């Protein structure tokens, strides 16, 4: 029983820990544009994220899906930094990501793919474009050339040049687990190990079976003896009243309504004959008389003489 309960608790905690683990650790962001944004947005809501556009990113998926997640990203765009290294062509999705970002670093030799009019309109609809002088949407919107050199954006307002030492590092999308995530994973792993150790410790423990109830203590006036039952002796005075001749006896069973009393180490059937008092418990001393019926084998029990006389008064 204890092992089953321990295993159930262990299994529940394992399920809870797996559910609480970061979901992005084994999820890929290499999907449609809206799915990529949604993947990055989970991190953007918590801390700063750097996305390096190291290949062409398509502006695919449904417009509704893109607009919905883009609106969420814009609430935390100050945490999103997008970098375009040397020689990279962004694609329409990479350019849209630049427009959504709060911080932009572009290499002078990067190639920024221009957006179509409908794509610019979509970004304007979610509030990503400022519609003012030097607006990035105007710089990367429809034009004669298919691409805009990175140097042109650097020279425009709001675009920073990517340092030479930065683009040589391995690209990072910032979608991996952060410090808090690794801390949670480490603590969860230690907790699981402790629970497993506790489970095997309980499994090796063997508890003795529960002892049965202790026998009731014998009363001082109940020595162990062999008793025999017999009918009340015939020929005695039979009145069944408190004033008749009495004999001392000891109650051996409850007198509800009849039970047994012991007289001279012999058991006799008896009935409690004093309606003014409750029947005594086994072990109590009483006085008994023969019953009023001539052929009755049942004795009548009363309180001892002193108690009976006090009751009669």
């Amino acid at each position: 029983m204890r092992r089953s309960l321990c295993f159930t608790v262990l299994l529940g905690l394992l399920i809870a820990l797996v559910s609480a683990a970061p979901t992005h650790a084994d999820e890929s962001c290499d999907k449609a544009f809206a799915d990529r944004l949604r993947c990055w947005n989970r991190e953007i809501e918590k801390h700063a994220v750097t996305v390096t556009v190291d290949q062409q990113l398509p502006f695919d998926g449904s417009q509704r899906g893109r607009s919905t997640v883009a609106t969420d990203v814009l609430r935390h765009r100050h945490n999103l930094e997008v970098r375009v290294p040397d020689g990279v062509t962004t694609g329409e999705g990479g350019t849209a990501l630049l427009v959504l970002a709060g911080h932009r670093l572009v290499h002078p030799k990067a190639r920024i793919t221009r957006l179509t009019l409908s794509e610019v309109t979509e970004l304007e609809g979610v509030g990503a474009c400022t519609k003012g002088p030097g607006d990035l949407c105007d710089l990367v919107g429809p034009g004669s050339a298919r691409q805009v050199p990175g140097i042109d954006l650097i020279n425009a307002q709001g675009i920073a040049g990517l340092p030479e030492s930065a683009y040589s590092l391995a690209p990072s999308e910032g979608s991996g687990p952060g410090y808090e995530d690794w801390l949670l994973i480490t603590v969860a792993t230690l907790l699981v190990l402790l629970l497993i150790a506790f489970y095997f410790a309980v499994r090796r423990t063997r508890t003795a079976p529960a002892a049965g109830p202790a026998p009731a203590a014998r009363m001082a006036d109940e020595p162990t003896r062999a008793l025999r039952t017999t009918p009340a002796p015939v020929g005695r005075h039979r009145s069944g009243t408190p004033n008749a001749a009495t004999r001392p006896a000891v109650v051996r069973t409850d007198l509800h309504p009849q039970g047994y009393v012991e007289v001279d180490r012999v058991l006799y059937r008896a009935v409690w004959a004093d309606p003014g008092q409750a029947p005594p418990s086994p072990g109590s001393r009483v006085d008994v008389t023969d019953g009023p019926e001539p052929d009755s084998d049942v004795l009548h029990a009363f309180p001892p003489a002193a108690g009976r006389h006090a009751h009669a008064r």
Side-chain angles (χ1 to χ4, degrees), residues 62-252:
S62 67
Q63 178 180 348
R64 181 178 180 180
R66 292 193 303 261
S67 298
T68 299
V69 69
T71 301
D72 295 335
V73 170
L74 288 174
R75 296 192 184 101
H76 310 280
R77 69 188 308 178
H78 59 279
N79 281 339
L80 176 60
E81 177 181 277
V82 175
R83 300 186 176 195
V84 185
D86 179 14
V88 172
T89 300
T90 61
E92 288 87 348
T95 303
L97 191 60
L98 272 175
V99 173
L100 293 171
H103 306 281
R104 311 175 184 103
L105 289 89
V106 178
H107 193 276
K109 295 182 181 179
R111 297 182 292 272
I112 313 302
T113 305
R114 289 187 179 275
L115 300 175
T116 64
L117 180 60
S118 61
E119 291 169 343
V120 171
T121 302
E122 179 179 330
L123 291 173
E124 289 178 345
V126 297
C129 303
T130 61
K131 300 182 181 180
D135 180 21
L136 185 58
C137 291
D138 291 338
L139 296 174
V140 298
S144 56
R146 182 72 181 88
Q147 298 168 349
V148 179
I151 189 64
D152 290 355
L153 299 186
I154 294 173
N155 293 332
Q157 181 180 0
I159 303 297
L162 184 66
E164 293 293 331
S165 60
Y167 67 88
S168 61
L169 301 177
S172 172
E173 293 183 349
S175 60
Y179 171 77
E180 297 84 356
D181 300 327
W182 283 116
L183 181 61
L184 176 61
I185 293 172
T186 302
V187 173
T189 302
L190 292 176
L191 182 57
V192 169
L193 293 177
L194 288 175
L195 288 173
I196 292 175
F198 173 74
Y199 168 73
F200 284 105
V202 172
R203 186 177 181 181
R204 288 194 297 267
T205 302
R206 293 294 184 266
T207 57
R218 298 182 180 274
M219 299 184 64
D221 59 349
E222 291 186 274
T224 303
R225 58 169 65 94
L227 300 176
R228 59 186 177 87
T229 61
T230 183
V234 180
R236 290 182 178 272
H237 177 72
R238 300 173 181 270
S239 64
T241 64
N243 296 323
T246 61
R247 291 169 289 167
V250 177
V251 178
R252 290 306 179 192

Side-chain angles (χ1 to χ4, degrees), residues 225-233 252 260-269:
R225 58 169 65 94
L227 300 176
R228 59 186 177 87
T229 61
T230 183
R252 290 306 179 192
Y260 284 91
V261 296
E262 179 186 349
V263 180
D264 297 331
R265 303 184 64 179
V266 179
L267 292 181
Y268 296 94
R269 291 187 62 83

Side-chain angles (χ1 to χ4, degrees), residues 4-5 9 23 28 31 43 70 96 98-99 126 166 173 217 223-224 233 241 252-253 256 269 278:
S4 300
L5 178 60
V9 173
T23 56
S28 173
K31 299 177 182 178
E43 299 296 324
L98 272 175
V99 173
V126 297
E173 293 183 349
T224 303
T241 64
R252 290 306 179 192
T253 64
H256 293 293
R269 291 187 62 83

Side-chain angles (χ1 to χ4, degrees), residues 5-87:
L5 178 60
C6 180
F7 180 76
T8 302
V9 173
L10 176 62
L11 181 61
L13 288 175
L14 286 175
I15 294 174
L17 289 173
V18 170
S19 302
T23 56
H24 61 264
D26 55 359
E27 289 185 356
S28 173
C29 295
D30 189 17
K31 299 177 182 178
F33 184 78
D35 295 324
R36 291 175 184 267
L37 281 184
R38 191 173 292 108
C39 178
W40 293 321
N41 188 51
R42 286 195 294 266
E43 299 296 324
I44 295 171
E45 293 178 353
K46 297 183 290 185
H47 49 70
V49 172
T50 297
V51 178
T52 300
V53 181
D54 57 353
Q55 59 184 352
Q56 294 193 46
L57 182 64
F59 196 58
D60 53 357
S62 67
Q63 178 180 348
R64 181 178 180 180
R66 292 193 303 261
S67 298
T68 299
V69 69
T71 301
D72 295 335
V73 170
L74 288 174
R75 296 192 184 101
H76 310 280
R77 69 188 308 178
H78 59 279
N79 281 339
L80 176 60
E81 177 181 277
V82 175
R83 300 186 176 195
V84 185
D86 179 14

